[in-house]
Amino acid sequence: MKIYPVILSGGSGTRLWPLSRAVLPKQLLPLVTDKTMLQETALRVTSLPNRRAGDSGLAEFEIMPPLVVCGNEHRFMVAEQLREIGLPPLGILLEPVGRNTAPAVAVAAQYLLAIDPQALMLVLPADHVITDVAAFHQSIAEAALLAADGALATFGIVPTAPETGYGYIRSGAPVSSGAAACKVERFVEKPDLATAQSFLAAGNYFWNSGMFMFRAERYLSELAAFQPAMLAACEAAVRDGYRDLDFCRLEEKAFAASPSDSIDYAVMEHTAHAVVLPAAIGWSDVGSWSALWEVQQGDADGNVVRGDVYLDGVSNCLVRAERRLVAVLGVQDLVVVETDDAVLVAHKDQVQRVKQVVDHLKQAGRSEHVQHRKVYRPWGAYEGIDVGERFQVKRITVNPGGKLSLQMHHHRAEHWVVVSGTAQVTCGDKVTLLTENESTYIPIGMTHRLENPGKLPLHLIEVQSGSYLGEDDIVRLEDVYQRV
């Protein structure tokens, strides 16, 4: 059996603002280790050793490279993060719009069936923490057997507390005598505390992890029975999709026509083939800052600290400094998160209200919920340093071999000063090489391009001046990354 990990990397992670933003959501951030959540998810599943028939009484299977489903705006970051860990994906499917997990899994199933009619799908969100990797691998092996027999298996996390932030699964009778896996009786929405306590006492309720395993063809046949319109839209989106560099773009209108729904609502609550496999794997969906504090090892006073932080008389706090020194004195049970353009201070039992801050920023027409001052591009990144009337200063980094689009601006001129590395500058018909401490000027309306022909990153300072400095004043004439 071949197991195909399908990593769902959509979502904006608003509950971890100000670190998580729409353009750089939590799955693309290094929240727990020095690797991003996406990287940890991919490495965790691909490190599963292939089994031979008879190993621990389980069937033979082979783990394939992951298939990633993500939004268009995250495509280059996803590809780059997988490249950084030396793990080329089986494919990257681009959703033109978000339609929740059921359509995302449906297009992945269609994609896999064209490769392997017997494909087993292991569906994993990109932004979860699992601390007991060995137990997770064992659960995958057990779920593979269930899925091979036609079950739609979900991983039910053995609860350790009356958690009100998770949905629950109520298990029924075992699928066979002595089996750990049970039939799913029902899915339960996030409960209040009293209800959660009763679930914990009952012993047959599990946290809903949002992780699944099933045959691709079985999932699609169930979708045909319960959500035929969704299936038709997803089939058309894959059939009429097209290649774009190393990505597979789903056909935009077809995918947008799909109903938006989760796997639970669309399929799992209706199918007669749903089973739940209990899993004690040290799992968390890291859905809030307090959850992030819980999954990390604190100091002797229970503090989880990252960055340039000074503490005095502080206990049970999460303090994260991204750019500046953060000093915290004489407090307990707080979350303090500093970024380049925003600071969050909240009591740990109030962090669910962070979403209200994001809603306020949206309504006010602000940008702090969308992106950081440092913005990633397929060629590198730029970071705003200063801005004022008719001028803007940016720090630009171009990766080795990186090449910006051939472009022009109607309303601004640009001055470039090379700090380190080598810049190849096209300005009109002239091509020039610039090195450290050299500079150039790009007049308004002049066709130009910046490239890094060297083996080291190129760092330069850009000073823009003019009547309008917005990013939409870019007319791309040619682009190796095929952006519009």
Side-chain angles (χ1 to χ4, degrees):
M1 295 186 296
K2 292 183 177 180
I3 297 176
Y4 295 83
V6 175
I7 300 178
L8 305 181
S9 187
S12 58
T14 56
R15 290 179 293 178
L16 290 182
W17 183 89
L19 200 58
S20 178
R21 312 277 176 104
V23 174
L24 190 63
K26 72 171 185 174
Q27 64 266 27
L28 302 179
L29 294 169
L31 292 179
V32 180
T33 70
D34 59 351
K35 293 183 175 62
T36 69
M37 304 285 278
L38 170 66
Q39 290 173 327
E40 290 286 5
T41 300
L43 289 171
R44 185 163 57 236
V45 68
T46 53
S47 65
L48 174 61
N50 295 331
R51 290 182 180 267
R52 299 293 179 260
D55 289 352
S56 301
L58 297 170
E60 179 180 0
F61 60 78
E62 180 183 0
I63 296 292
M64 306 305 291
L67 175 64
V68 182
V69 184
C70 70
N72 177 65
E73 66 275 16
H74 301 146
R75 65 194 188 280
F76 292 113
M77 285 182 283
V78 167
E80 175 61 18
Q81 290 190 6
L82 294 176
R83 186 202 63 79
E84 286 176 353
I85 59 175
L87 189 58
L90 181 70
I92 300 177
L93 303 183
L94 303 182
E95 295 177 298
V97 293
R99 283 295 179 265
N100 214 317
T101 55
V105 175
V107 294
Q110 295 281 349
Y111 186 90
L112 291 175
L113 278 182
I115 299 172
D116 180 359
Q118 302 301 316
L120 283 179
M121 302 176 65
L122 173 60
V123 179
L124 303 170
D127 55 357
H128 291 182
V129 166
I130 293 174
T131 58
D132 192 339
V133 176
F136 176 55
H137 288 173
Q138 181 66 21
S139 293
I140 292 174
E142 294 172 7
L145 293 178
L146 297 167
D149 284 340
L152 281 74
T154 182
F155 297 81
I157 305 303
V158 178
T160 56
E163 177 62 55
T164 60
Y166 297 146
Y168 283 71
I169 300 169
R170 179 176 175 177
S171 65
V175 295
S176 62
S177 178
C182 298
K183 295 180 180 179
V184 172
E185 282 198 354
R186 66 186 180 101
F187 288 81
V188 184
E189 295 293 335
K190 297 175 183 178
D192 58 27
L193 181 58
T195 304
Q197 289 171 336
S198 71
F199 289 170
L200 193 65
N204 64 331
Y205 285 83
F206 302 93
W207 293 337
N208 187 355
S209 69
M211 301 187 297
F212 305 90
M213 183 175 279
F214 35 66
R215 287 194 182 278
E217 56 85 16
R218 168 66 83 177
Y219 176 76
L220 293 176
S221 67
E222 296 298 280
L223 199 65
F226 306 119
Q227 291 283 344
M230 181 183 294
L231 178 62
C234 292
E235 286 178 338
V238 174
R239 182 188 65 240
D240 299 333
Y242 54 96
R243 300 296 299 180
D244 178 0
L245 300 176
D246 294 329
F247 309 103
C248 177
R249 286 188 178 275
L250 301 171
E251 204 284 320
E252 290 85 351
K253 291 183 179 180
F255 192 74
S258 171
S260 177
D261 214 343
S262 69
I263 299 177
D264 293 347
Y265 286 131
V267 174
M268 297 299 289
E269 290 189 355
H270 307 290
T271 180
H273 305 286
V275 302
V276 57
L277 180 68
I281 55 178
W283 172 91
S284 172
D285 71 349
V286 197
S288 67
W289 285 112
S290 58
L292 185 62
W293 173 80
E294 289 172 356
V295 301
Q296 297 185 84
Q297 183 66 43
D299 62 17
D301 296 312
N303 298 308
V304 173
V305 174
R306 185 158 179 164
D308 190 4
V309 173
Y310 172 81
L311 303 180
D312 186 1
V314 175
S315 61
N316 298 320
C317 289
L318 184 149
V319 184
R320 185 166 181 135
E322 296 296 309
R323 299 295 297 269
R324 292 161 287 184
L325 167 67
V326 173
V328 184
L329 310 175
V331 298
Q332 296 80 41
D333 300 316
L334 292 186
V335 169
V336 181
V337 182
E338 174 270 337
T339 68
D340 50 11
D341 61 350
V343 176
L344 170 70
V345 180
H347 196 279
K348 282 193 303 184
D349 64 8
Q350 298 295 313
V351 291
Q352 296 292 348
R353 295 167 61 186
V354 168
K355 190 176 184 299
Q356 298 176 21
V357 180
V358 175
D359 291 341
H360 165 75
L361 295 173
K362 291 178 181 178
Q363 295 169 6
R366 300 183 61 146
S367 63
E368 289 93 339
H369 66 291
V370 178
Q371 62 187 27
H372 293 273
R373 287 182 179 172
K374 186 172 185 178
V375 178
Y376 291 90
R377 290 290 185 257
W379 44 261
Y382 69 84
E383 180 178 2
I385 299 175
D386 195 9
V387 63
E389 186 175 357
R390 295 183 63 86
F391 83 91
Q392 185 169 227
V393 183
K394 293 182 177 180
R395 178 186 292 113
I396 295 178
T397 302
V398 184
N399 298 327
K403 179 186 296 188
L404 280 67
S405 60
L406 183 67
Q407 60 185 255
M408 57 86 67
H409 311 293
H410 290 294
H411 304 288
R412 73 175 186 243
E414 296 175 342
H415 302 255
W416 294 343
V417 181
V418 176
V419 177
S420 63
T422 301
Q424 179 173 303
V425 178
T426 300
C427 187
D429 297 329
K430 185 178 180 181
V431 179
T432 307
L433 284 178
L434 301 178
T435 57
E436 186 174 327
N437 294 326
E438 295 183 326
S439 63
T440 191
Y441 168 65
I442 310 294
I444 293 176
M446 181 64 71
T447 300
H448 61 280
R449 167 177 272 160
L450 175 64
E451 305 176 48
N452 179 2
K455 297 182 179 180
L456 298 174
L458 164 64
H459 298 277
L460 59 82
I461 300 298
E462 176 183 83
V463 180
Q464 303 175 359
S465 59
S467 59
Y468 180 72
L469 306 174
E471 283 297 299
D472 54 351
D473 184 28
I474 297 178
V475 179
R476 289 194 177 96
L477 306 173
E478 181 184 309
D479 184 36
V480 297
Y481 308 106
Q482 299 182 16
R483 296 168 296 170
V484 295

